[in-house]
């Protein structure tokens, strides 16, 4: 059965072309027609008059399992807060029942849906058990979860061995990777410093036997580079490009201009998480320099215990800080910023055939904003308003695969 959403301003395609008084026709979970001015008297659906329809958001990097410990590490350094095996969050996991962790995760998924997110990528601790925990927490909810598993134990190789930059993955470790990828959507390290250079190459070889994603945290803080240089004579960015070649890298908060040049030359996509880097005092990832060099860049919100999983808050903070640092209000453009939570993460996560833009043939994953809300009216530039002003309370409805999953619209 076909249904229609009608009467709205629709942001169509990867560049968000505005169609006024527009309609979307949905069949099953797909968009089958987009147009303007049609009165769909023969179809059932929803009236979205005085609304703006944007593609649903993707959160390209999360750690949702720490949702139960919000602000536990507020005011604490990055290293003390999050680094395994003895960071504050890891100690909290050891003391917290599994059901409490799972319920915190489920609350976060429900919050994401309300904030217009229909897909996210999560770095999962705990091997296959950690992936299974995410699957259980998300069961029955209208949101797509990509689980990027990792080794159950930390460090995966003996520290003395990694300090000498020696040693390969054992057969048991290679089997652990393959077992994890049976249930996960990809594999991740904490950092390149988890493994020796030969073991990084082993990891790449094993994961490339599958169709799964491969990623890790890179250049998040000066310690990443310092440890890597001490052990190998090269920074972690160089080692990742030489020995691992992942599908994308996460953070780059401490990346130098030279390292960004290396990543751009390698056509390496990146995911940046500015708000959590700010609250931890790490600095600000210069995604503007990455965009200038032609890199595909997406935004994520990272650990829930210090950063809410709200892409509109991430846009607002990121857009303002980067313009202030550049002393330039013109770059990145509003369209480039909105792409960082729609089509760019869809490309990075290999979901762009289905998600990331409003186009015929793609899933009807949509965020509908109330253009008459006190915050948004009068709305002169829908894209700029979403980036610079919109809040989750301005979202009138969220659709996942053509189904209304949050909010409400009048029926027609």
């Amino acid at each position: 059965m076909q249904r229609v959403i009608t009467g709205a301003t629709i942001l169509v395609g990867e560049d968000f072309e505005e169609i006024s008084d527009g309609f979307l026709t949905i069949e099953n979970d797909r968009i089958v027609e987009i147009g303007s001015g049609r009165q769909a008297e023969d179809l059932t659906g929803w009236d979205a008059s005085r609304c703006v329809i944007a593609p649903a958001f993707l959160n390209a990097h999360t750690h949702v399992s720490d949702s139960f410990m919000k602000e536990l590490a507020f005011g604490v350094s990055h290293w003390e807060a999050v680094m395994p095996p003895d960071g504050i969050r890891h100690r909290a996991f050891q003391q917290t029942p599994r059901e409490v962790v799972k319920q915190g995760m489920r609350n976060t998924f429900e919050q994401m849906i309300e904030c217009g997110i229909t897909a996210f990528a999560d770095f999962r601790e705990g091997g296959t058990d950690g992936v299974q925990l995410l699957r259980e927490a998300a069961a029955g909810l209208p949101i797509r979860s990509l689980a990027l598993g990792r080794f159950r134990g930390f460090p995966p190789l003996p520290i003395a061995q990694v300090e000498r930059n020696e040693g390969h993955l054992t057969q048991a470790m290679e089997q652990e990777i393959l077992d994890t990828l049976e249930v996960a959507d990809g594999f991740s390290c904490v950092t390149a410093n988890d493994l020796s250079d030969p073991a990084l190459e082993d990891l790449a070889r094993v994961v490339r036997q599958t169709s799964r994603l491969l990623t890790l945290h890179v250049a998040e803080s000066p310690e990443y580079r310092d440890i890597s240089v001490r052990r190998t004579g090269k920074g972690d960015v160089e080692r990742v490009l030489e020995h691992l070649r992942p599908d994308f890298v996460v953070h780059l908060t401490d990346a130098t201009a030279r390292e960004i040049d290396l990543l751009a030359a390698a056509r390496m996509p990146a995911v940046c998480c500015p708000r959590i880097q700010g609250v931890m005092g790490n600095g600000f990832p210069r995604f503007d320099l990455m965009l200038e060099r032609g890199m595909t860049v997406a935004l994520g919100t990272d650990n829930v215990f210090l950063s809410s999983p709200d892409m509109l808050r991430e846009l607002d903070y990121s857009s303002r800080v980067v313009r202030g640092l550049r002393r330039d209000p013109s770059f990145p453009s509003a369209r480039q910023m909105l792409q960082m939570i729609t089509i760019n993460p869809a490309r990075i996560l290999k979901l762009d055939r289905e998600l990331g833009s409003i186009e015929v043939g793609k899933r009807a994953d949509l965020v509908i904003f109330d253009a008459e809300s006190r915050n948004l009216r009068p709305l002169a530039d829908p894209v700029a308003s979403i980036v610079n002003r919109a809040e989750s309370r301005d979202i009138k409805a969220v659709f996942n695969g053509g189904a209304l999953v949050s909010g409400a619209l009048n029926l027609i």
Side-chain angles (χ1 to χ4, degrees):
M1 184 182 72
Q2 289 190 342
R3 294 151 295 155
V4 68
I5 305 175
T6 189
T9 296
I10 307 174
L11 304 179
V12 178
E14 297 177 2
D15 293 321
F16 315 115
E17 176 190 353
E18 294 179 31
I19 295 183
S20 300
D21 189 24
F23 67 87
L24 288 169
T25 305
I26 301 167
E27 187 169 0
N28 298 322
D29 62 351
R30 304 285 163 165
I31 299 168
V32 296
E33 189 179 11
I34 303 170
S36 177
R38 181 174 114 180
Q39 298 299 313
E41 298 176 356
D42 57 330
L43 291 177
T44 60
W46 300 270
D47 179 9
S49 300
R50 297 177 296 281
C51 292
V52 174
I53 304 180
F57 307 144
L58 293 87
N59 190 338
H61 182 63
T62 65
H63 290 270
V64 297
S65 57
D66 55 28
S67 298
F68 71 92
M69 59 175 97
K70 291 172 182 173
E71 277 64 67
L72 184 63
F74 185 83
V76 175
S77 73
H78 154 254
W79 209 263
E80 184 180 354
V82 303
M83 291 303 289
D86 300 318
I88 288 173
R89 68 189 297 270
H90 299 279
R91 297 200 302 271
F93 286 139
Q94 296 169 7
Q95 302 165 7
T96 305
R98 188 177 189 272
E99 286 302 312
V100 173
V101 176
K102 186 168 75 172
Q103 185 57 54
M105 295 166 71
R106 193 169 180 87
N107 290 342
T108 290
F109 301 152
E110 292 171 344
Q111 180 186 0
M112 285 195 208
I113 294 165
E114 293 173 352
C115 291
I117 297 166
T118 59
F120 68 96
D122 192 70
F123 276 33
R124 297 302 307 125
E125 299 87 356
T128 55
D129 290 344
V131 175
Q132 181 60 32
L133 179 62
L134 182 139
R135 302 298 189 212
E136 292 175 15
L141 294 177
I143 191 167
R144 181 180 300 193
S145 58
L146 274 68
L148 304 174
R150 62 172 54 157
F151 292 109
R152 179 186 300 274
F154 189 90
L157 285 178
I159 286 293
Q161 188 174 326
V162 181
E163 284 283 352
R164 298 191 302 269
N165 195 29
E166 294 176 355
H168 289 267
L169 297 182
T170 65
Q171 185 175 354
M173 294 173 71
E174 292 193 6
Q175 189 59 52
E176 181 183 359
I177 296 167
L178 292 173
D179 290 345
T180 300
L181 293 178
E182 285 290 321
V183 295
D185 302 284
F187 200 86
S188 65
C189 290
V190 181
T191 77
N193 296 324
D194 296 1
L195 300 172
S196 65
D197 289 346
L200 288 173
E201 293 181 358
D202 292 339
L203 174 59
R205 171 179 51 79
V206 174
V207 175
R208 295 299 177 220
Q209 298 175 24
T210 73
S211 59
R212 306 305 194 190
L213 295 166
L214 176 61
T215 184
L216 76 170
H217 303 105
V218 176
E220 185 175 8
S221 68
E223 290 90 344
Y224 284 33
R225 184 186 299 105
D226 294 345
I227 293 171
S228 183
V229 169
R230 175 173 55 78
R231 291 175 177 173
T232 73
K234 295 180 179 180
D236 62 314
V237 170
E238 295 169 276
R239 293 176 59 221
V240 163
L241 292 176
E242 182 177 351
H243 300 289
L244 191 66
R245 290 305 296 261
D247 291 291
F248 62 96
V249 296
V250 178
H251 289 313
L252 301 181
T253 312
D254 196 59
T256 65
R258 174 181 171 275
E259 289 170 336
I260 292 173
D261 286 341
L262 291 173
L263 292 159
R267 303 181 65 83
M268 181 63 63
V271 177
C272 299
C273 307
R275 275 191 306 146
I276 197 165
Q277 298 302 300
V279 77
M280 292 192 300
N282 274 357
F284 187 86
R286 294 304 300 267
F287 62 80
D288 55 317
L289 305 181
M290 303 173 207
L291 292 173
E292 284 182 325
R293 288 156 174 78
M295 291 175 62
T296 300
V297 185
L299 294 178
T301 58
D302 208 353
N303 298 82
V304 178
F305 79 149
L306 286 175
S307 185
S308 65
D310 185 335
M311 300 314 298
L312 291 173
R313 291 191 67 182
E314 203 69 41
L315 273 185
D316 179 70
Y317 176 87
S318 304
S319 177
R320 293 170 189 273
V321 173
V322 78
R323 284 168 168 77
L325 290 173
R326 292 175 66 91
R327 298 183 182 271
D328 178 0
S330 67
F331 187 86
S333 69
R335 278 171 169 74
Q336 286 175 302
M337 293 297 306
L338 188 54
Q339 287 169 342
M340 292 170 69
I341 66 169
T342 55
I343 190 60
N344 288 4
R347 284 201 183 100
I348 289 171
L349 300 174
K350 300 183 180 180
L351 299 174
D352 52 305
R353 290 188 177 183
E354 293 191 274
L355 304 176
S357 58
I358 297 175
E359 299 181 60
V360 171
K362 288 195 172 184
R363 282 179 60 89
D365 281 23
L366 311 166
V367 180
I368 301 181
F369 290 90
D370 181 3
E372 290 295 308
S373 73
R374 290 186 179 88
N375 184 39
L376 296 183
R377 72 183 185 207
L379 193 149
D381 183 332
V383 176
S385 290
I386 291 172
V387 171
N388 191 59
R389 186 176 302 276
E391 302 172 359
S392 58
R393 64 180 178 178
D394 298 314
I395 295 175
K396 195 165 187 176
V398 179
F399 282 76
N400 185 319
L404 180 63
V405 297
S406 181
L409 289 174
N410 292 328
L411 296 173
I412 57 172

